[in-house]
Amino acid sequence: EVQLVESGGGVVRPGGSLRLSCAASGFTLDDYGMTWVRQAPGKGLEWVSGITSNGGGTGYADSVRGRFTISRDNAKNSLFLLMNSLRGEDTALYYCARGITGRYDHWGQGTLVTVSS
Amino acid sequence: QSALTQPPSASGSPGQSVTISCTGTSSDVGGYKYVSWYQQHPGKAPKLLIYEVSKRPSGVPDRFSGSKSGNTASLTVSGLQAEDEADYYCCSHAGRSNVFGTGTKVTVL
């Protein structure tokens, strides 16, 4: 069974940093591109970042480019999102999803990031 | 990277059909075959319904169908059922990024 489990969320002050992790199981991670999607409370889905299966290609939403870095460790079946210079508008539930060109066929349950002073 | 435009709401009675539009530009919806649709129930993670404009993953009922014309994609839910009441989002590839739609709340009357 495919499983994606996010962790690393929490409360952080504006300007702070967090590193999210996504543990993958039930499939071979290095066969798939992976993606982070977020959802602010009561709002819609927002694509955040994607990474190719071998990590050689990455993409970012304009709203996070230069502040967030996506990476992966296929040997450890893990996906990461390093978030720096966090702002109030980054407050959201962050999902990791399997896929990269919009075919996000499996999702985790999300990890909540709250940016507040 | 502006969000794709969807109607905020749509509704229908059980057994009826509802169609949700998703309007973008030639840089996203109109330029790629990678348009997908997701269903999200309250408090749950999104679920993939349609990918590559009109393909259904295994396990998704054929009541859900997708199409595209120019810069607008559409999702049709036929034979509405109570469990179809949810939020629906489109998503399109846009070069080195992807973009979701604004979301549509479907109500089953």
Side-chain angles (χ1 to χ4, degrees):
Chain A
E1 178 193 4
V2 172
Q3 281 199 319
L4 297 169
V5 179
E6 302 92 339
S7 61
V11 180
V12 61
R13 294 187 184 277
S17 298
L18 274 179
R19 188 194 193 209
L20 305 185
S21 300
C22 173
S25 61
F27 67 103
T28 303
L29 184 62
D30 50 12
D31 285 343
Y32 292 89
M34 296 293 291
T35 293
W36 288 98
V37 175
R38 68 184 180 184
Q39 188 168 34
K43 303 297 184 182
L45 301 175
E46 180 185 12
W47 182 85
V48 174
S49 181
I51 187 168
T52 55
S53 57
N54 64 2
T58 59
Y60 298 92
D62 289 345
S63 57
V64 307
R65 186 176 294 112
R67 301 187 298 123
F68 290 11
T69 303
I70 190 171
S71 62
R72 61 192 296 159
D73 185 339
N74 288 340
K76 295 184 177 179
N77 295 313
S78 294
L79 174 72
F80 305 102
L81 186 68
L82 176 61
M83 306 186 295
N84 293 324
S85 303
L86 283 162
R87 307 167 180 167
E89 54 264 38
D90 296 319
T91 294
L93 186 64
Y94 284 73
Y95 294 102
C96 73
R98 190 176 80 169
I100 194 167
T101 50
R103 184 181 176 179
Y104 309 130
D105 60 356
H106 289 276
W107 297 63
Q109 288 306 302
T111 187
L112 183 62
V113 172
T114 302
V115 183
S116 174
S117 55
Chain B
Q1 288 182 352
S2 298
L4 307 175
T5 301
Q6 297 180 233
S9 62
S11 63
S13 299
Q16 290 186 331
S17 295
V18 65
T19 297
I20 303 166
S21 61
C22 169
T23 302
T25 69
S26 58
S27 296
D28 38 62
V29 174
Y32 300 94
K33 70 175 183 177
Y34 299 113
V35 176
S36 51
W37 289 90
Y38 299 85
Q39 177 191 62
Q40 187 180 35
H41 288 106
K44 301 294 186 182
K47 173 188 174 183
L48 176 66
L49 293 176
I50 298 287
Y51 66 98
E52 292 180 16
V53 177
S54 59
K55 298 179 180 178
R56 270 188 316 276
S58 60
V60 173
D62 60 5
R63 303 186 294 105
F64 295 93
S65 61
S67 63
K68 188 183 84 164
S69 177
N71 297 336
T72 298
S74 299
L75 172 73
T76 297
V77 186
S78 304
L80 268 174
Q81 300 181 3
E83 59 262 36
D84 298 333
E85 186 160 295
D87 294 324
Y88 292 80
Y89 295 91
C90 61
C91 180
S92 175
H93 188 58
R96 290 185 62 84
S97 66
N98 292 270
V99 59
F100 279 95
T102 50
T104 298
K105 181 174 180 60
V106 169
T107 300
V108 181
L109 302 171

